[in-house]
Amino acid sequence: MPQKAAELKEHVTDEYMLWVAQYLVMKRASIEPNFHTLYASYVDQLKNPIFLQMVVGETYRNIKVLLRSDKGVANFSDRSLLKNLGHWIGMLTLAKNKPILHLDVDLKSLLYEAYHKGPQELLYVVPFVAKILESCAKSKVFKPPNPWTMAIMKVFAELHQEADLKLNLKFEIEVLCKSFQLEINEIKPGTYLKDTSRLAILEEQLSAPSHSKELVSGLVSNLVTVAAAITASSGTPQPEETTATANTFTTFTITTAVPTPLTSTTPVSVVAMPPQPQFSFNDINITSLAGLAPHISINEQLGLFQAHPQLKQYVRPNIERAVQEILVPVVERSIKIALTTCEMIIKKDFSLDPEEARMRAAAHHMVRNMAAGMTLITCRDPLRISIETNISKAFLAVLKGATQPQKELIEKAAKVLAQDNTELACAFIQKTAVEKAIPEMDKRLATEFELRKHARSEGRRYCDPVVLTYQAERMPPQIRLEVGGVTSQQMTVYEEFARNLPGFLPTVEPSQHVNFITRPPPTPQSHATDEITQIYDKIALEIENQLKRIMMFPSTPQITALHSLLEAVILARNSREIVTALALLQKAVEGLLDGLNAMHTDQELTMVFRDCHLLVLKGLQDQRAYGPQWTNKQVTRCLIECRDDFRYNIDAVDVLIKSHLVNMQQYDLHLAQSMENGLNYMGVAFAMQLVQRYCTDEKNNTSNEADFYNTIEALTRVAVHSRQAPDGLTNLIEAIRTQSDSGLFDRTPGGPTSMMHSGISQAREFDDPPGLHEKTEFLLREWVNMYHSPAAGRDSTRAFSAFVGQMHQQGILKTDDLITRFFRLCTEMCVDLCYRGLSEATHSPTLVRAKCFHTLDAFVRLIALLVKHSGDSANTVTKINLLNKVLGIVAGVLLQDHEVRQTEFQQLPYHRIFIMLFIELNAPEHVLESINFEVLTAFCNTFHILRPAKAPGFSFAWLELISHRVFIGRMLAITPQQRGWSMYAQLLMDLFKFLSPFLRNADLNKPTQLLYKGTLRVLLVLLHDFPEFLCDYHYAFCDDIPSNCIQMRNLILSAFPRNMRLPDPFTPNLKVDMLTEITQAPRILTSFAKKIQPKNFKKDLDSYLNTRSPVTFLSDLRSNLQVSNEPGMRYNIPLINALVLYVGTQAIAYIHSKGLTPSMSTIAHSAHMDIFQNLAVDLDTEGRYLFLNGIANQLRYPNSHTHYFSCTLLYLFAEANTESIQEQITRVLLERLIVNRPHPWGLLITFIELIKNPSFKFWNHEFVHCAPEIEKLFESVARSCMQPKQSQTIREQDVQEVH
């Protein structure tokens, strides 16, 4: 510490110490509470009183900024920052017996102000004050019974008695008492908070809350005299200017003052009523920002404009810029809240009203009022500051080098202009929000309108029987809804909404009275309506163009259907009703099912037909029209309910699924049920086709096994229980299992895997019950606060107990469906929070990650605690099912997010959730150790589902997850009996399969290179720490690695058991056949014999090995291995590798059965060698290279396989009838040796034997001397493979023989 302090003094001069103080407070103390003691000691070590004052001053400055910041519900990070700074300032002052002056922060008054402003403010202030007072325990002066400290503690005791105080705040108070060794019950509570007389003289330290209307009414009701003064005053209150220093935590902070009554001489400070409106709603033109120009107010009397009149021209563009900057976020946020609120209230109030026109008009009035009001309170203060800042900057830019008096004039002018034009700018944004909210409201209530119209068309009066029963049984007569419409008294509320629009002058129009039904509903020219019309117009124009293209074709049913589709589009465009849109959608879906056929001879006509129908559906799916949720739901309904004669059109359904127009969970259930346990043959055949198309093709990323989980289970039951299963069904089920998980994962019906797949499917649902989103947001926010509270208890157990109670209260734990939706919404909220944080370029990456992890880690802890405590301690099934469900939900959200965002996808939140949850669930606790293997299985299954082939954007995080030291350790070392090996092998194979096409084609762009390097590093770790794992699974790995990836394959083949000591392959006269290990067969944990398909080929192979019949086997062998005529893709490589190893193992068994060992003589003249020799001679260059690679893949550490295949390769070289075969054998060996180490032991001894043994006459062959560089290469390899003298001698002998 002294050394570091000396370094700072030496390198940092006094002029930069202020920057150091700012850095220490903002970048360290505010976000690193665990190091506060260290930082405080460091400040003391500097022994610089001025620097200490700077640090304390900077801390106070940031505290004030945070206290005045927006106390929004999602602003989790500001609370943590404020709490951390509270602890920090306490250590710098109270802990060192120095007071906190009222001038800096008045703690008692702060609690009072927060109490009266609302619960959101208390969430900030209580932890902050408690953290400051914690330091009193270390002080000789301020520890209890110090009067100043005890006065604040009495306020805390009074607050603790509040019945509705949040539980986490009570925790904070109790923890503080514990640090003072006090009992909260022993502290006599005061009446300080209930004393409303202090409100009149309160000096505000907090920002005005977002719910300013409620606050004003609450304060004014307590201050009758002040209210009278406000009423009596005719002046318009003006904002009192306050400034906030800009820094990392800068936010907008404005306090307002009430004008003093004429009869009073003492100013009264209280929150002001809003300024009086200046414009009527119709005065403002929002077509473009130019609509602001006629109303902009410029005070000609300002001294600045009299001195510099040219500056007036800069006022308008800067006001427009301020409006443009804030317009979109404010409008989006405001109408979202207004729409949700209005929708719920209107549906409730008009649930028994049969007239949709009355309902629509009331909805319009209410949403106009709420949207305008929400926009006004959201944008006024930020807008005023933005206008003032923009104008000030513009003026300073024009008057370069302005003097101090000029700057003061500029500042004054900017403030006046901002005050004069803020109401105008607010009115512009308000009207924009209103105009956008009305059509959105119509969309939300469209179903309600249609129900009423439908009832009227059937000659009956609309009535919701559920609501009617509820109203009759539960509601008292005074507020009970009656059938037939709302009463005039109830309608008065909506009249008031219509008359008084917040921020605008009141309007009284005859049309806005009770008789809503007599007047037509307002139809403003809205943006959304225009957009829907534009979408329809664009669709119609495109279909017309396509019809012109195919005019020369003779009339067909497809062309007739296209004309009919165009008419339906025009009809929907003209009516713009949801009923016609639904009819159009149905026509498009049924048209595809009826008319799309891949077997049509005219492919161009088929493509036009398909594209036009998809164009219609995609247009309806557009967010500006009806959105994906509604469209997909209706498309799925059409698929399920359509006629049997075209229900099973595989091409049409395939097009709809690939275009993301089908709700897969709903359609999957329908498919499973439609098979009727195998009785519906058409349904079974169709399901087989669909599953084969989507679940056995790795290139298909549109859907996966999870989307067809119920269908696959139904097909599996049909295959097992049906007397006559359809042809190919058994093979299809086996192929799905092989393709999806190679049989390594548990697939018990109804077991954990089914829970995971249902979680993935449910992650795509968005049709949540009303209010669930808000409940989830509230609960998540509460949990994050509890988790980060010191009172949370060890491992958050105390906080968890309280939180479960809250979940019960909110009804989240009532059903499995609600729990599932809760987890999905929590995941989405956490992910959205990260996206917002990562999009902020203003903060450092470290701070952004810390903010993201603040919420993510709390969410992970909640999952872990719920898993640990679900069911009783002996019931592990409940815990595992819940874990699989949650992992499935997170995986489903990830896949959906990946599909939607594509290149904008962010891996960070998902990576953090998975790795932190894995670490949490592998903690050394008894309850977790009992389910450890099931936890590993669940995570492996999840990672397999999210493999790079399915989610390429998640590849880097995925590789980091499977290579994490804790994960590898658990999978390969800690889990007993090597139970985790097969699952980890599957994950590595997923990685190799993804990289394979890039590596095969040498298509390595920068991301692929990074992934490849990461893979090599993982293999190096495995080679060093778990070589037996690579030994056991070498066959499966080499099967997936392209033949040109020599280095990667060498890493795997070089592995040998740790208990084995490899003989030095360079030892002179090494007798390989005398080694003890050479007779032992290696363990291969891959069923390579099963890969020899079809069964008839396997049967003929076994027959030939035993009896050398059928005689045509060898002549047909090449055709059985060949799959196409395309160069580079001619052969079935897995089949060649399986054939080589199977024949080799059979040969070894045959030789051992005779009491012999493999050698050049014992392997010759057998059925096994006949097959190998036939392959070497009969295959073309490509096939022979693959065949020889299959042999070389078995040249590993000393074992019977290495010995046999080494002899086989040397025998084929010796017996080759052409030099091309010998050259290719040399190439296969040489290319594996010239790369960087490591080199497999078997490869070295084979090549050394080949070049050293004179009987092979290696150096006599032409290909050794075909070019000087080739000859030098062979000499170089020979020198590295043998001792120099030996190499030289053999080389000279061979050269002499050549001459």
Side-chain angles (χ1 to χ4, degrees):
M1 187 79 71
Q3 181 187 351
K4 294 293 179 187
E7 284 181 13
L8 183 70
K9 288 178 181 177
E10 180 184 346
H11 291 98
V12 181
T13 58
D14 290 345
E15 61 183 307
Y16 297 112
M17 290 306 282
L18 179 59
W19 178 88
V20 175
Q22 289 178 342
Y23 176 80
L24 179 63
V25 173
M26 292 164 59
K27 300 294 186 183
R28 294 293 179 188
S30 62
I31 58 177
E32 297 176 356
N34 294 337
F35 296 115
H36 280 181
T37 307
L38 176 68
Y39 297 148
S41 301
Y42 188 62
V43 172
D44 291 341
Q45 192 68 43
L46 289 171
K47 297 174 183 175
N48 186 340
I50 297 173
F51 178 67
L52 178 59
Q53 288 177 10
M54 290 177 181
V55 172
V56 172
E58 184 64 24
T59 306
Y60 281 135
R61 187 174 71 82
N62 281 283
I63 285 171
K64 287 175 182 177
V65 170
L66 287 168
L67 286 173
R68 292 170 180 243
S69 68
D70 176 26
K71 305 298 184 293
V73 289
N75 210 346
F76 307 130
S77 60
D78 280 6
R79 292 185 215 163
S80 295
L81 294 170
L82 189 59
K83 190 160 69 170
N84 294 344
L85 288 177
H87 185 258
W88 172 245
I89 196 64
M91 291 186 68
L92 294 179
T93 54
L94 300 178
K96 298 177 181 177
N97 303 319
K98 296 177 182 177
I100 292 178
L101 302 178
H102 282 201
L103 186 65
D104 295 317
V105 181
D106 186 349
L107 299 183
K108 194 173 173 184
S109 174
L110 189 61
L111 286 169
Y112 180 84
E113 185 182 351
Y115 174 78
H116 285 279
K117 283 193 171 179
Q120 198 61 37
E121 281 69 18
L122 282 173
L123 279 175
Y124 281 74
V125 171
V126 172
F128 167 65
V129 176
K131 277 293 177 186
I132 292 178
L133 290 191
E134 265 186 23
S135 298
C136 291
K138 303 170 187 174
S139 169
K140 293 179 181 179
V141 176
F142 293 101
K143 67 181 179 182
N146 177 283
W148 178 81
T149 306
M150 290 311 296
I152 298 174
M153 291 305 297
K154 285 180 181 179
V155 176
F156 272 139
E158 183 184 353
L159 190 61
H160 190 273
Q161 288 184 335
E162 291 288 323
D164 57 348
L165 185 69
K166 290 185 181 292
L167 201 60
N168 59 320
L169 298 185
K170 288 189 176 183
F171 281 165
E172 294 282 0
I173 297 170
E174 288 166 10
V175 169
L176 178 61
C177 290
K178 191 175 180 181
S179 68
F180 289 155
Q181 298 180 345
L182 295 173
E183 288 294 331
I184 188 68
N185 301 327
E186 296 173 1
I187 303 173
K188 184 181 177 182
T191 56
Y192 178 77
L193 297 175
K194 304 294 189 299
D195 183 4
T196 55
S197 64
R198 299 176 187 275
L199 284 169
I201 56 171
L202 179 69
E203 290 187 13
E204 290 195 18
Q205 300 177 77
L206 294 170
S207 63
S210 57
H211 48 285
S212 57
K213 286 187 179 180
E214 291 87 337
L215 177 62
V216 169
S217 62
L219 293 175
V220 172
S221 67
N222 291 322
L223 292 168
V224 179
T225 56
V226 177
I230 292 170
T231 310
S233 174
S234 59
T236 303
Q238 294 299 322
E240 176 189 330
E241 296 115 29
T242 63
T243 57
T245 309
N247 63 27
T248 309
F249 312 114
T250 298
T251 51
F252 297 118
T253 309
I254 298 295
T255 49
T256 55
V258 177
T260 308
L262 296 175
T263 57
S264 173
T265 57
T266 308
V268 180
S269 174
V270 75
V271 179
M273 300 299 288
Q276 292 297 318
Q278 301 172 17
F279 305 95
S280 67
F281 188 77
N282 294 323
D283 288 344
I284 308 298
N285 177 10
I286 61 165
T287 310
S288 69
L289 287 170
L292 291 165
H295 307 288
I296 289 175
S297 171
I298 299 177
N299 190 338
E300 302 283 350
Q301 304 303 316
L302 287 171
L304 183 70
F305 290 150
Q306 291 177 357
H308 304 281
Q310 76 275 15
L311 292 178
K312 293 177 191 175
Q313 62 183 311
Y314 297 100
V315 175
R316 174 187 162 185
N318 284 287
I319 292 175
E320 289 178 354
R321 195 173 111 203
V323 170
Q324 191 171 22
E325 286 171 353
I326 206 170
L327 181 69
V328 174
V330 166
V331 168
E332 292 296 332
R333 181 176 182 274
S334 301
I335 68 168
K336 181 182 177 183
I337 298 168
L339 286 168
T340 305
T341 308
C342 294
E343 181 186 3
M344 302 302 295
I345 292 175
I346 291 291
K347 282 182 178 178
K348 175 185 73 67
D349 285 356
F350 291 83
S351 54
L352 301 179
D353 192 325
E355 294 294 341
E356 73 277 2
R358 186 160 47 216
M359 184 182 188
R360 182 187 284 112
H364 285 188
H365 292 324
M366 185 176 183
V367 82
R368 277 159 56 92
N369 191 288
M370 288 208 68
M374 284 297 303
T375 307
L376 181 63
I377 63 172
T378 305
C379 76
R380 178 190 278 127
D381 291 344
L383 196 54
R384 186 180 67 78
I385 293 173
S386 182
I387 292 171
E388 184 179 326
T389 306
N390 287 350
I391 291 174
S392 180
K393 285 182 179 176
F395 288 175
L396 286 169
V398 174
L399 301 178
K400 294 177 181 176
T403 61
Q404 188 60 35
Q406 285 179 319
K407 288 180 180 178
E408 290 173 0
L409 283 173
I410 288 172
E411 189 177 344
K412 181 182 177 184
K415 285 179 181 178
V416 171
L417 288 166
Q419 288 172 0
D420 290 348
N421 292 286
T422 297
E423 295 308 311
L424 168 64
C426 285
F428 185 92
I429 297 175
Q430 285 178 272
K431 187 168 181 179
T432 305
V434 167
E435 297 288 17
K436 190 169 183 181
I438 289 172
E440 290 293 327
M441 193 76 248
D442 284 344
K443 268 199 257 182
R444 291 199 179 202
L445 296 176
T447 306
E448 298 290 326
F449 299 156
E450 292 308 317
L451 288 171
R452 286 159 177 78
K453 287 181 183 177
H454 185 65
R456 197 181 307 116
S457 67
E458 292 181 350
R460 58 184 175 84
R461 185 165 62 176
Y462 170 80
C463 176
D464 188 332
V466 177
V467 175
L468 184 62
T469 306
Y470 180 85
Q471 291 287 330
E473 292 179 358
R474 304 280 184 89
M475 292 291 115
Q478 294 85 347
I479 59 171
R480 183 183 299 156
L481 295 178
E482 303 291 342
V483 178
V486 295
T487 64
S488 57
Q489 291 87 353
Q490 291 166 328
M491 199 58 86
T492 307
V493 179
Y494 295 99
E495 290 180 57
E496 193 61 29
F497 281 142
R499 271 194 291 270
N500 294 311
L501 212 57
F504 293 98
L505 294 169
T507 56
V508 180
E509 298 175 13
S511 63
Q512 290 181 338
H513 285 294
V514 177
N515 193 12
F516 281 154
I517 193 65
T518 59
R519 65 177 178 80
T523 53
Q525 190 65 29
S526 65
H527 302 298
T529 307
D530 289 341
E531 287 171 345
I532 293 173
T533 307
Q534 288 170 10
I535 289 169
Y536 280 133
D537 287 342
K538 186 178 178 183
I539 293 170
L541 181 64
E542 183 61 31
I543 294 176
E544 286 174 358
N545 291 338
Q546 294 290 358
L547 285 170
K548 288 175 185 174
R549 272 183 57 200
I550 56 175
M551 281 178 61
M552 70 291 298
F553 288 94
S555 181
T556 65
Q558 284 184 323
I559 294 176
T560 306
L562 284 178
H563 283 288
S564 176
L565 182 68
L566 178 59
E567 290 171 8
V569 171
I570 294 168
L571 181 65
R573 184 242 183 253
N574 292 337
S575 73
R576 286 188 293 199
E577 291 285 343
I578 196 166
V579 177
T580 50
L582 189 58
L584 173 63
L585 179 143
Q586 190 166 344
K587 180 176 273 296
V589 175
E590 291 183 353
L592 275 174
L593 290 168
D594 192 25
L596 187 65
N597 192 337
M599 300 303 291
H600 274 301
T601 52
D602 199 318
Q603 291 299 315
E604 185 183 356
L605 180 58
T606 302
M607 286 178 65
V608 168
F609 181 81
R610 179 199 67 196
D611 293 345
C612 288
H613 284 75
L614 284 180
L615 185 69
V616 170
L617 295 173
K618 283 291 186 183
L620 294 172
Q621 196 186 41
D622 194 307
Q623 288 286 7
R624 297 169 298 169
Y626 295 95
Q629 183 181 336
W630 180 86
T631 306
N632 292 9
K633 186 176 180 180
Q634 298 305 327
V635 169
T636 309
R637 183 185 60 79
C638 291
L639 279 178
I640 292 171
E641 296 175 0
C642 67
R643 300 201 314 268
D644 288 343
D645 54 344
F646 52 62
R647 177 178 294 177
Y648 300 121
N649 184 337
I650 183 72
D651 297 311
V653 174
D654 179 47
V655 164
L656 291 171
I657 292 174
K658 284 181 177 174
S659 303
H660 305 293
L661 286 159
V662 180
N663 181 327
M664 291 309 300
Q665 186 184 12
Q666 193 179 349
Y667 192 60
D668 174 39
L669 284 169
H670 163 71
L671 278 179
Q673 292 165 1
S674 68
M675 284 184 268
E676 300 174 11
N677 291 323
L679 298 176
N680 181 356
Y681 297 113
M682 287 280 288
V684 173
F686 176 74
M688 285 174 60
Q689 283 181 291
L690 208 56
V691 166
Q692 185 165 15
R693 188 169 292 198
Y694 282 97
C695 298
T696 61
D697 182 6
E698 189 69 34
K699 295 177 183 177
N700 182 7
N701 287 328
T702 311
S703 296
N704 54 38
E705 189 188 355
D707 291 321
F708 293 98
Y709 188 81
N710 294 293
T711 305
I712 293 169
E713 290 299 321
L715 287 172
T716 306
R717 287 196 297 273
V718 171
V720 173
H721 300 298
S722 178
R723 291 181 181 177
Q724 266 195 328
D727 292 340
L729 179 56
T730 307
N731 290 339
L732 174 63
I733 299 299
E734 187 62 35
I736 291 168
R737 288 180 174 173
T738 304
Q739 179 72 20
S740 65
D741 54 29
S742 299
L744 298 180
F745 296 121
D746 172 39
R747 291 184 49 85
T748 309
T753 311
S754 67
M755 298 297 291
M756 179 170 291
H757 285 300
S758 71
I760 293 172
S761 298
Q762 285 168 309
R764 301 191 179 199
E765 281 187 15
F766 300 105
D767 199 7
D768 294 316
L772 182 62
H773 190 280
E774 290 74 18
K775 285 182 184 178
T776 305
E777 189 174 2
F778 166 76
L779 286 169
L780 180 62
R781 189 169 64 250
E782 284 291 293
W783 170 249
V784 172
N785 290 336
M786 287 181 176
Y787 170 76
H788 290 288
S789 167
R794 185 175 177 273
D795 295 333
S796 310
T797 46
R798 286 180 63 190
F800 178 67
S801 302
F803 185 71
V804 169
Q806 290 198 23
M807 291 180 77
H808 272 295
Q809 286 177 9
Q810 298 291 345
I812 298 297
L813 302 178
K814 282 182 182 175
T815 65
D816 288 347
D817 179 62
L818 280 175
I819 296 170
T820 301
R821 292 176 186 276
F822 170 76
F823 279 120
R824 192 202 80 232
L825 288 169
C826 282
T827 307
E828 289 172 351
M829 287 172 190
C830 291
V831 170
D832 287 342
L833 184 74
C834 292
Y835 273 103
R836 287 201 302 273
L838 292 166
S839 64
E840 293 175 8
T842 54
H843 297 303
S844 69
T846 307
L847 186 59
V848 169
R849 290 170 75 91
K851 279 187 173 183
C852 294
F853 296 165
H854 181 86
T855 303
L856 290 172
D857 292 353
F859 178 49
V860 167
R861 176 64 60 84
L862 176 61
I863 296 170
L865 288 168
L866 284 167
V867 169
K868 281 197 283 189
H869 295 95
S870 61
D872 53 49
S873 56
N875 184 6
T876 59
V877 175
T878 308
K879 301 179 196 303
I880 293 305
N881 282 347
L882 178 60
L883 174 62
N884 277 275
K885 175 71 76 151
V886 173
L887 288 174
I889 289 165
V890 177
V893 172
L894 187 156
L895 291 169
Q896 184 80 2
D897 188 23
H898 184 275
E899 189 178 295
V900 172
R901 295 188 192 263
Q902 297 182 350
T903 54
E904 300 299 318
F905 175 77
Q906 290 284 357
Q907 307 173 75
L908 182 140
Y910 305 104
H911 174 266
R912 184 71 175 186
I913 289 173
F914 284 128
I915 197 59
M916 293 305 293
L917 186 57
F918 185 80
I919 291 170
E920 288 267 3
L921 295 177
N922 281 279
E925 295 179 36
H926 175 70
V927 68
L928 294 175
E929 287 171 358
S930 62
I931 59 170
N932 185 257
F933 180 69
E934 289 77 8
V935 169
L936 294 179
T937 305
F939 274 92
C940 285
N941 211 350
T942 306
F943 295 158
H944 174 66
I945 287 166
L946 298 175
R947 58 193 180 274
K950 291 296 180 185
F954 189 60
S955 299
F956 291 101
W958 186 90
L959 180 57
E960 199 170 320
L961 288 167
I962 70 160
S963 60
H964 194 278
R965 56 186 177 77
V966 179
F967 186 71
I968 291 183
R970 283 279 171 185
M971 296 301 299
L972 302 182
I974 298 174
T975 305
Q977 302 170 357
Q978 301 175 352
R979 294 172 73 193
W981 284 28
S982 60
M983 295 187 288
Y984 196 75
Q986 177 61 47
L987 295 177
L988 281 183
M989 285 188 271
D990 290 336
L991 179 59
F992 296 146
K993 283 175 183 173
F994 177 70
L995 282 172
S996 184
F998 300 105
L999 298 174
R1000 184 182 296 115
N1001 301 320
D1003 180 18
L1004 294 180
N1005 53 21
K1006 193 170 182 180
T1008 315
Q1009 284 180 24
L1010 286 172
L1011 201 61
Y1012 174 65
K1013 286 179 182 176
T1015 306
L1016 290 181
R1017 288 176 180 175
V1018 174
L1019 289 175
L1020 280 168
V1021 170
L1022 295 174
L1023 178 62
H1024 184 272
D1025 293 344
F1026 307 101
E1028 292 87 355
F1029 171 72
L1030 291 180
C1031 292
D1032 291 354
Y1033 287 96
H1034 88 283
Y1035 174 84
F1037 295 157
C1038 290
D1039 225 15
D1040 291 327
I1041 296 173
S1043 54
N1044 60 330
C1045 293
I1046 296 156
Q1047 180 79 61
M1048 186 184 285
R1049 203 167 46 237
N1050 271 3
L1051 283 176
I1052 294 167
L1053 299 177
S1054 298
F1056 62 92
R1058 278 175 292 185
N1059 59 3
M1060 176 184 288
R1061 187 172 180 181
L1062 282 186
D1064 185 357
F1066 307 122
T1067 305
N1069 302 317
L1070 175 65
K1071 302 294 183 184
V1072 174
D1073 52 353
M1074 302 300 289
L1075 299 173
T1076 54
E1077 301 92 343
I1078 211 69
T1079 58
Q1080 298 169 6
R1083 187 169 72 152
I1084 298 177
L1085 296 179
T1086 310
S1087 304
F1088 56 87
K1090 288 185 179 178
K1091 296 194 175 187
I1092 302 176
Q1093 296 290 343
K1095 290 181 179 177
N1096 290 338
F1097 175 64
K1098 174 73 163 51
K1099 185 179 176 183
D1100 290 346
L1101 172 63
D1102 288 335
S1103 173
Y1104 186 83
L1105 291 175
N1106 293 326
T1107 63
R1108 296 204 179 192
S1109 66
V1111 291
T1112 58
F1113 178 77
L1114 291 179
S1115 58
D1116 294 341
L1117 188 55
R1118 176 175 174 175
S1119 60
N1120 282 318
L1121 299 177
Q1122 196 165 343
V1123 290
S1124 73
N1125 291 317
E1126 187 181 345
M1129 304 288 285
R1130 284 196 180 100
Y1131 293 94
N1132 185 339
I1133 299 173
L1135 180 57
I1136 291 176
N1137 290 337
L1139 178 69
V1140 167
L1141 187 55
Y1142 181 74
V1143 172
T1145 53
Q1146 294 294 314
I1148 294 167
Y1150 175 73
I1151 293 168
H1152 285 172
S1153 68
K1154 290 187 171 184
L1156 303 171
T1157 57
S1159 65
M1160 294 288 284
S1161 56
T1162 56
I1163 65 172
H1165 312 301
S1166 65
H1168 314 85
M1169 188 51 68
D1170 288 351
I1171 291 174
F1172 286 154
Q1173 285 188 292
N1174 177 268
L1175 289 172
V1177 172
D1178 196 33
L1179 290 173
D1180 59 11
T1181 307
E1182 180 187 337
R1184 190 185 305 118
Y1185 177 72
L1186 297 172
F1187 160 63
L1188 294 174
N1189 257 322
I1191 294 177
N1193 286 346
Q1194 309 310 319
L1195 302 179
R1196 302 186 290 144
Y1197 63 92
N1199 60 60
S1200 60
H1201 289 191
T1202 299
H1203 190 202
Y1204 174 80
F1205 284 107
S1206 177
C1207 294
T1208 299
L1209 209 54
L1210 293 172
Y1211 182 84
L1212 291 175
F1213 187 94
E1215 297 296 321
N1217 56 2
T1218 63
E1219 193 166 83
S1220 61
I1221 297 175
Q1222 294 170 324
E1223 182 179 355
Q1224 210 160 7
I1225 291 172
T1226 306
R1227 176 208 166 169
V1228 168
L1229 294 173
L1230 189 66
E1231 68 184 5
R1232 294 176 182 228
L1233 287 169
I1234 59 176
V1235 296
N1236 292 330
R1237 293 176 182 174
H1239 301 124
W1241 180 87
L1243 184 72
L1244 285 168
I1245 62 144
T1246 305
F1247 191 71
I1248 290 170
E1249 181 67 18
L1250 181 64
I1251 63 176
K1252 189 175 82 170
N1253 194 329
S1255 63
F1256 296 115
K1257 299 181 180 178
F1258 177 80
W1259 300 100
N1260 296 354
H1261 292 290
E1262 247 181 68
F1263 60 80
V1264 178
H1265 311 284
C1266 63
E1269 55 269 29
I1270 297 294
E1271 193 168 1
K1272 285 179 182 177
L1273 176 64
F1274 278 116
E1275 289 174 0
S1276 172
V1277 175
R1279 277 197 300 274
S1280 63
C1281 288
M1282 294 186 298
Q1283 293 179 354
K1285 277 188 179 178
Q1286 192 180 7
S1287 170
Q1288 183 66 26
T1289 305
I1290 293 167
R1291 176 84 177 84
E1292 287 172 358
Q1293 288 174 0
D1294 286 342
V1295 170
Q1296 286 172 7
E1297 287 183 20
V1298 172
H1299 295 292

